[in-house]
């Protein structure tokens, strides 16, 4: 048994990671404690390349708009569009400006060039079409689902025409109104039109399910997967907009929960296709219940990782990331009595930590939780060492 913290640390590579896991998981999730840092994204890229070459993983899913991500997947699999177009249009949350994301897309395209579809790597966004200040109109997802069904089943089986959907949807600006995030009265999510759209969307999804044998024979695998994605997204967006318009105290908790439910359903769908490497914030991938304060109120909900873990069991693995310094954000050397401080004393610039073994080494007395001076960085909670399968520690994250 290890008797020192240094005995829990290993090189950060796919082979060392797999040795820490009981099985090769169907969904392997790598979290990060902050966003848009190319050092952390570069580490993600290295691990993904190794997992493709050594571990049989073929899909990477990141925290970006699932519909916009289809543009990236088309580019890396077929060369559709240009790299510039894909980086500008295929990412949400400003992910397209990150150099490491550009390098990921470039590598995936080069890897796939000349390979048969069965050997290609795939890209997926697994977040909903949601930004911090707004949610997308359900138009794209609803009309795509309607079009898929109309082309294969005929208009007579559908609950409405595309024109009816268009009239009920109205102008997209009604749905994307930024003021609605803070003022429920500015949202159209509980209007009569939105209520009617939720019923019609439910009917369309039921039709998709009821005719699965016929539709799967009539459509390619990708077309079927995308129809299912459009179905999930249409329902998820309409549910999200409904809660955006709600004035009850449950409003914010329901919004964050609906978002993670959309993420979880997308990850489970991707996992049905094969092994998936996932990258997102630690808070979206953790197994324990998520908590935060928003609008002055405490919120609790189950993350996408918790939901997927409940469904897949040991076929889901979560590797959290912790860091030492982020000096350009005011995050300096961690106090020595914190978990990050203990790991910062190790000589390696980065290491893969056996988190459960580390918990044993530390015993009943856990280090003090670190307090971040910057809101955009969430320190790792040492109370949750046994809730993750491993921990990646990056000593210093320089400004990119």
């Amino acid at each position: 048994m290890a008797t020192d913290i240094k005995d829990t640390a290993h090189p950060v590579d796919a082979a060392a990671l797999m040795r820490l896991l009981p099985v090769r998981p169907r969904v392997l999730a790598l979290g990060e404690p902050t966003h848009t840092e190319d050092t952390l994204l570069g580490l993600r890229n290295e691990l993904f390349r190794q997992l493709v070459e050594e571990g049989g993983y073929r899909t990477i899913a990141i925290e970006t708009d699932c519909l916009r991500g289809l543009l990236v997947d088309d580019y890396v699999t077929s060369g559709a569009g240009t790299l510039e177009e894909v980086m500008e249009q295929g990412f949400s949350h400003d992910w397209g400006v990150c150099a490491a994301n550009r390098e990921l897309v470039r590598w995936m395209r080069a890897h796939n060039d000349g390979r048969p579809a069965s050997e290609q790597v795939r890209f997926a966004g697994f977040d909903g079409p949601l930004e911090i200040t707004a949610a997308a109109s359900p138009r794209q997802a609803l009309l795509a689902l309607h079009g898929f069904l109309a082309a294969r089943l005929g208009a007579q089986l559908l609950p409405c025409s595309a024109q009816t959907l268009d009239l009920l949807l109205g102008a997209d600006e009604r749905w994307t109104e930024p003021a609605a995030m803070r003022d429920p009265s500015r949202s159209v999510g509980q209007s009569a039109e939105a209520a009617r759209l939720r019923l019609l969307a439910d009917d369309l999804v039921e039709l998709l399910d009821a005719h699965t044998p016929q539709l799967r024979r009539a459509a390619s695998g990708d077309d079927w997967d995308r129809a299912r994605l459009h179905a999930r997204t249409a329902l998820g967006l309409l549910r999200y907009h409904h809660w955006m318009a709600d004035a009850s105290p449950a409003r914010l908790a329901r919004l964050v929960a609906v978002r993670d439910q959309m993420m979880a359903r997308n990850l489970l769908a991707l996992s049905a296709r094969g092994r998936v490497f996932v990258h997102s914030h630690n808070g979206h991938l953790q197994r324990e219940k998520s908590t935060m304060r928003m609008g002055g109120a405490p919120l609790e909900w189950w993350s996408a990782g918790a939901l997927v873990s409940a469904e897949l069991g040991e076929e889901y693995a979560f590797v959290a990331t912790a860091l030492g310094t982020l000096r350009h954000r005011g995050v300096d050397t961690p106090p020595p009595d914190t978990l990050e401080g203990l790991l910062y004393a190790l000589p390696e610039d980065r290491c893969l930590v056996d988190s459960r073994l580390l918990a044993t080494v530390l015993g009943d007395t856990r280090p003090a939780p670190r307090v971040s001076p910057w809101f955009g960085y969430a320190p790792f909670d040492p109370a949750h060492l046994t809730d993750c399968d491993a921990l990646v520690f990056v000593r210093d994250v320089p400004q990119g």
Side-chain angles (χ1 to χ4, degrees), residues 250-320:
R251 177 178 185 264
L252 292 177
R254 291 303 300 263
L255 285 173
V256 292
V258 168
R259 181 187 179 195
D260 270 280
Q261 286 174 318
M262 292 176 73
M263 288 179 162
R265 290 179 177 122
N266 285 335
L267 289 179
L268 289 170
L270 290 169
S271 73
R273 194 171 70 187
R275 292 192 177 94
V276 186
F277 178 56
V278 184
H279 191 249
S280 181
H281 197 280
N282 287 331
H284 287 304
L285 301 176
Q286 65 191 29
R287 288 189 176 94
E288 64 271 13
K289 203 166 194 178
S290 298
T291 61
M292 69 180 296
R293 295 190 71 86
M294 185 180 291
L299 307 180
E300 289 189 352
W301 75 101
W302 291 105
S303 73
L307 296 170
V308 173
S309 179
E311 185 74 21
L312 296 184
E314 66 180 8
E315 288 279 4
Y316 176 78
F318 169 47
V319 180

Side-chain angles (χ1 to χ4, degrees), residues 52-168:
V52 169
E53 293 162 2
E54 304 168 19
Y57 288 80
R58 289 289 179 269
T59 298
I60 185 167
I62 74 170
E63 188 184 328
T64 188
D65 181 336
C66 57
L67 299 186
R68 293 175 69 172
L70 297 175
L71 298 174
V72 185
D73 191 52
D74 285 341
Y75 175 77
V76 300
T77 55
S78 69
T82 67
L83 180 60
E84 295 302 324
E85 291 169 344
V86 164
M87 298 311 298
E88 181 179 348
Q89 302 170 23
F91 291 86
S92 60
H93 304 84
D94 295 325
W95 281 117
V97 302
C98 295
N101 282 337
R102 176 181 290 268
E103 179 54 34
L104 171 68
V105 174
R106 184 185 292 117
W107 177 81
M108 293 178 72
R109 178 69 201 120
H111 175 89
N112 286 341
D113 192 25
R115 293 179 186 266
S118 61
E119 297 178 12
Q120 290 188 344
V121 290
R122 304 291 298 270
F123 179 93
F126 75 99
D127 202 352
L130 310 169
E131 294 285 358
I132 293 173
T133 58
S137 163
R139 178 184 304 279
Q140 180 183 353
L142 265 178
L143 292 181
L145 174 60
H146 187 281
F148 176 87
L149 293 169
R152 292 162 179 84
L153 298 180
Q156 69 279 4
L157 287 179
L158 272 61
C160 67
S161 67
Q163 290 76 15
T164 297
L165 292 178
D166 189 63
L167 286 171
L168 290 169

Side-chain angles (χ1 to χ4, degrees), residues 114-380:
R115 293 179 186 266
S118 61
E119 297 178 12
Q120 290 188 344
V121 290
R122 304 291 298 270
F123 179 93
F126 75 99
D127 202 352
L130 310 169
E131 294 285 358
I132 293 173
T133 58
S137 163
R139 178 184 304 279
Q140 180 183 353
L142 265 178
L143 292 181
L145 174 60
H146 187 281
F148 176 87
L149 293 169
R152 292 162 179 84
L153 298 180
Q156 69 279 4
L157 287 179
L158 272 61
C160 67
S161 67
Q163 290 76 15
T164 297
L165 292 178
D166 189 63
L167 286 171
L168 290 169
L169 286 161
D172 286 345
E173 290 76 16
R174 300 169 63 235
W175 299 90
T176 58
E177 168 59 63
M181 181 54 72
R182 293 187 177 275
D183 182 357
S185 68
R186 301 291 295 274
S187 171
V188 298
Q190 292 188 17
S191 64
E193 293 88 351
R196 177 67 176 149
L197 284 167
R198 288 188 75 181
L199 289 173
L200 291 172
D202 186 68
D203 284 343
L204 290 170
V205 174
E206 189 277 334
L207 200 59
L208 187 72
D209 291 340
H211 290 267
T212 292
Q214 174 186 345
L215 293 170
R216 293 207 67 168
R217 285 195 301 267
S220 69
D222 279 353
D223 285 346
W224 172 251
D225 288 343
R226 292 189 178 195
R228 299 294 299 173
L229 173 61
H230 287 127
R232 293 191 302 274
T233 305
L235 290 177
L237 278 174
L238 287 165
R239 189 175 297 116
Y240 192 89
H241 280 289
H242 173 88
W243 286 104
M244 188 104 75
D246 188 73
S248 77
R251 177 178 185 264
L252 292 177
R254 291 303 300 263
L255 285 173
V256 292
V258 168
R259 181 187 179 195
D260 270 280
Q261 286 174 318
M262 292 176 73
M263 288 179 162
R265 290 179 177 122
N266 285 335
L267 289 179
L268 289 170
L270 290 169
S271 73
R273 194 171 70 187
R275 292 192 177 94
V276 186
F277 178 56
V278 184
H279 191 249
S280 181
H281 197 280
N282 287 331
H284 287 304
L285 301 176
Q286 65 191 29
R287 288 189 176 94
E288 64 271 13
K289 203 166 194 178
S290 298
T291 61
M292 69 180 296
R293 295 190 71 86
M294 185 180 291
L299 307 180
E300 289 189 352
W301 75 101
W302 291 105
S303 73
L307 296 170
V308 173
S309 179
E311 185 74 21
L312 296 184
E314 66 180 8
E315 288 279 4
Y316 176 78
F318 169 47
V319 180
T321 297
L323 57 86
T325 71
L326 194 67
R327 298 189 195 279
H328 56 286
R329 299 294 191 181
V331 181
D332 293 319
T333 304
D337 63 342
T338 63
L339 179 68
E340 288 88 348
L342 294 173
L343 296 173
Y344 198 78
L346 298 174
E348 294 85 3
D349 289 333
R350 62 188 195 182
C351 58
L352 175 69
V353 178
D354 184 334
S355 55
R356 295 188 173 111
L357 186 56
L358 177 58
T360 301
V361 171
L362 293 173
D364 294 334
T365 304
R366 295 292 167 86
R370 187 183 191 184
V371 178
S372 173
W374 178 53
F375 74 93
Y377 157 60
F380 183 80

Side-chain angles (χ1 to χ4, degrees), residues 8-21 24 28 30 42-55 57 277 319 348 350-354 389-394:
T8 70
H10 307 274
V12 183
D13 60 48
L17 176 55
M18 288 303 164
R19 286 193 291 270
L20 295 180
L21 303 177
R24 183 167 298 176
L28 174 56
L30 174 66
L43 184 151
R44 172 206 66 188
N45 292 353
E46 291 175 34
L47 268 179
F48 181 54
R49 286 193 289 267
Q50 293 169 14
L51 289 166
V52 169
E53 293 162 2
E54 304 168 19
Y57 288 80
F277 178 56
V319 180
E348 294 85 3
R350 62 188 195 182
C351 58
L352 175 69
V353 178
D354 184 334
D389 297 283
L391 181 69
V392 170
F393 181 72
V394 179

